[in-house]
């Protein structure tokens, strides 16, 4: 499986990192070894002094597809959750300065935490509140209706380049409020009031 991630998909977040808003979605991948599920902890890697949390709505792909038209995109995912796109911000800034790819700052082991999935049957994925608490305090909150590129566009655009396969995950971008995590932090991710992700930082 692969993990497809969208960058700069909320205007306020793009602005907080001084990034321009692009005409097309910004896409990058994380390898399968980035995935952490269940209640496993997140370990801060030795190579970074500034790992940031990015809470994101995550889609689970349920059908193989390539060049999917926007109007059919909803048929290709059956469940959503929240995930954390952990980012070694110090390393990413160095790489960006040199115009090099971000991969190692975004795709390192454990950098894709994913919560429990809920079926999309009972909800409207285009208008979902989601949030991140750290040690009980809300640090990030967003609604999927605020995406610059909506879910149907993300699925259509990504599938021009990458065939989507069952079990692939799509991280759809983070709202404003990103910041560093530190050892012993407890991170909780919510859709609405439902806690779907909980992990400790080590
Ligand atoms: Mg992100």
């Amino acid at each position: 499986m692969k993990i497809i991630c969208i960058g700069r998909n909320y205007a306020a977040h793009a602005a907080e990192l001084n990034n321009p808003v692009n005409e097309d979605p910004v896409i990058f991948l994380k390898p399968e070894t980035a995935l952490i599920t269940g209640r496993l902890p997140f370990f801060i890697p030795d190579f970074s002094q500034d790992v940031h949390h990015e809470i994101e709505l995550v889609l689970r792909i349920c059908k193989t597809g390539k060049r999917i038209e926007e109007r059919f995109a909803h048929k290709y995912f059956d469940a959503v959750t929240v995930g954390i796109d952990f980012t070694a911000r110090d390393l990413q800034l160095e790489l960006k300065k040199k115009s090099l790819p971000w991969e190692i700052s975004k795709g390192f082991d454990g950098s894709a935490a994913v919560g429990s999935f809920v079926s999309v049957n009972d909800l409207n994925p285009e208008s979902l509140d989601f949030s991140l608490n750290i040690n009980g305090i809300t640090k990030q909150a967003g609604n999927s209706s605020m995406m610059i590129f909506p879910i149907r566009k993300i699925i259509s655009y990504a599938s021009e380049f990458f065939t989507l396969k069952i079990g692939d995950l799509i991280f759809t971008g983070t709202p404003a409020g990103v910041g560093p995590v530190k050892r012993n932090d407890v991170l909780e991710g919510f859709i609405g009031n439902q806690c779907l992700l909980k992990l400790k930082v080590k």
Side-chain angles (χ1 to χ4, degrees), residues 57-60 77-82 116-120 123 125 128 151 191 196:
L57 196 68
V58 177
L59 317 176
R60 187 179 69 193
F77 66 102
D78 63 352
V80 295
T81 188
V82 276
S116 308
F117 282 91
V118 289
S119 165
V120 290
L123 27 96
L128 280 181
I151 290 171
I191 290 181
L196 298 173

Side-chain angles (χ1 to χ4, degrees), residues 37-83:
T37 56
R39 301 243 153 161
L40 290 174
F42 170 74
F43 289 92
I44 295 179
D46 294 337
F47 54 76
S48 178
Q49 312 323 311
D50 192 29
V51 172
H52 278 199
H53 54 79
E54 296 189 356
I55 189 80
E56 311 199 0
L57 196 68
V58 177
L59 317 176
R60 187 179 69 193
I61 299 299
C62 62
K63 195 170 157 179
T64 298
K66 183 166 178 66
R67 295 205 187 110
I68 298 162
E69 288 182 45
E70 285 189 31
R71 64 197 166 109
F72 298 129
H74 63 281
K75 297 176 186 242
Y76 287 82
F77 66 102
D78 63 352
V80 295
T81 188
V82 276

Side-chain angles (χ1 to χ4, degrees), residues 5-7 13 28 54 56 85 87 106 173-174:
C5 303
I6 306 301
H13 169 63
F28 57 96
E54 296 189 356
E56 311 199 0
D85 167 15
T87 302
K106 283 279 198 182
T174 196

Side-chain angles (χ1 to χ4, degrees), residues 181-201:
V181 296
K182 55 184 194 316
R183 286 192 175 81
N184 297 317
D185 280 347
V186 175
L187 277 53
E188 292 173 297
F190 296 81
I191 290 181
N193 298 322
Q194 198 179 359
C195 183
L196 298 173
L197 182 154
K198 182 172 183 175
L199 62 76
K200 191 161 179 179
V201 177

Side-chain angles (χ1 to χ4, degrees), residues 6-16 19-26 70 126 130 143-154 172-176:
I6 306 301
R8 305 175 191 173
N9 203 19
Y10 290 82
H13 169 63
E16 75 182 344
N19 285 322
V21 170
N22 297 60
E23 263 175 53
D24 289 314
V26 175
E70 285 189 31
E126 304 274 0
F130 62 99
N143 185 287
S144 55
S145 65
M146 309 279 286
M147 289 180 187
I148 296 169
F149 301 105
I151 290 171
R152 57 185 179 277
K153 169 73 179 177
I154 291 170
T172 57
T174 196

